[in-house]
Amino acid sequence: MDDDVVLSAPLFATMDADETRTLFESMQQVELTRGDVLFREGEPGDRLYVIATGKIKLGRRSNDGRENLLSILGPGEMFGELSLFDPGPRTATASSVADSVIYELGHEQLVAWIEKHPSVAKHLLEALARRLRRTNETLADLVFSDVPGRVAKALLDLSTRFGEETDEGVRVAHDLTQEELAQLVGASRETVNKALADFATRGWVRREGRAVVLLDLDRLERRAR
Ligand code: CMP
């Protein structure tokens, strides 16, 4: 079923199909329902995860209780590796925003796997570098872009993971509440709502509960720049 998605993760980027399958089969499957917390920021971490189906949000909380979402990850993506490569507590809280199936791998097993297949390390580095690139971009957007620009960018980013082509446009079933979308954009719910309403009036998007249909990608891309 979801094997192929999981096996496409950088973790499995070795040519040996038998060994890959053995590693995959040694991984524990975890099922989550929306709202389940897998681990919390600050806890010790001894395993990483690969998503087979569903969506996982990674968030941080400020001392006064406000929340910021670092990312929403989908099938084939990995998380929980930072506390291995840079030993220390979990840097974010991971919870599910949709029913999800994920596979976990203990750090010890991961280290043994990398030692046996050094090429895997290169692919993991690539994944980390991609993430740093994205994080830098998000950071720059927080400083240089206005909220509508960041909303447009977040929608386009979510569409690369969760978008589905339809006759009308790209339907993105993000499963996020308005509050979560605002936490992802780093703005208040009201401001994000206003931007979305404006996009809808202009005919760039149509809102459908916890999904949005991107009707005019060109305009959204220009607004995101
Ligand atoms: P870890 O610190 O073990 O637990 C939280 C995980 O969230 C972390 O490993 C990464 O896998 C993931 N993570 C942390 N920061 C980001 C980010 N900026 N973008 C995407 N994922 C992140």
Side-chain angles (χ1 to χ4, degrees), residues 39 58 70-71 73 78-84 89-92 131 134-135:
F39 58 72
L58 297 164
L70 297 170
S71 195
L73 302 183
M78 170 191 79
F79 62 97
E81 76 297 330
L82 287 191
S83 40
L84 164 73
R90 294 290 192 196
T91 55
R131 187 177 291 168
R134 269 197 65 231
T135 303

Side-chain angles (χ1 to χ4, degrees), residues 58 68-73 129-147 149-151 153-155 157-158 161 181-187 224:
L58 297 164
N68 168 240
L69 293 187
L70 297 170
S71 195
I72 309 290
L73 302 183
R130 253 197 318 274
R131 187 177 291 168
L132 181 59
R133 201 187 271 273
R134 269 197 65 231
T135 303
N136 282 351
E137 206 164 309
T138 308
L139 190 63
D141 288 341
L142 276 174
V143 178
F144 301 128
S145 298
D146 60 1
V147 174
R150 301 203 309 259
V151 171
K153 201 157 203 179
L155 294 178
D157 185 47
L158 288 167
R161 293 193 167 93
L181 199 54
Q183 289 165 355
L184 186 63
V185 171

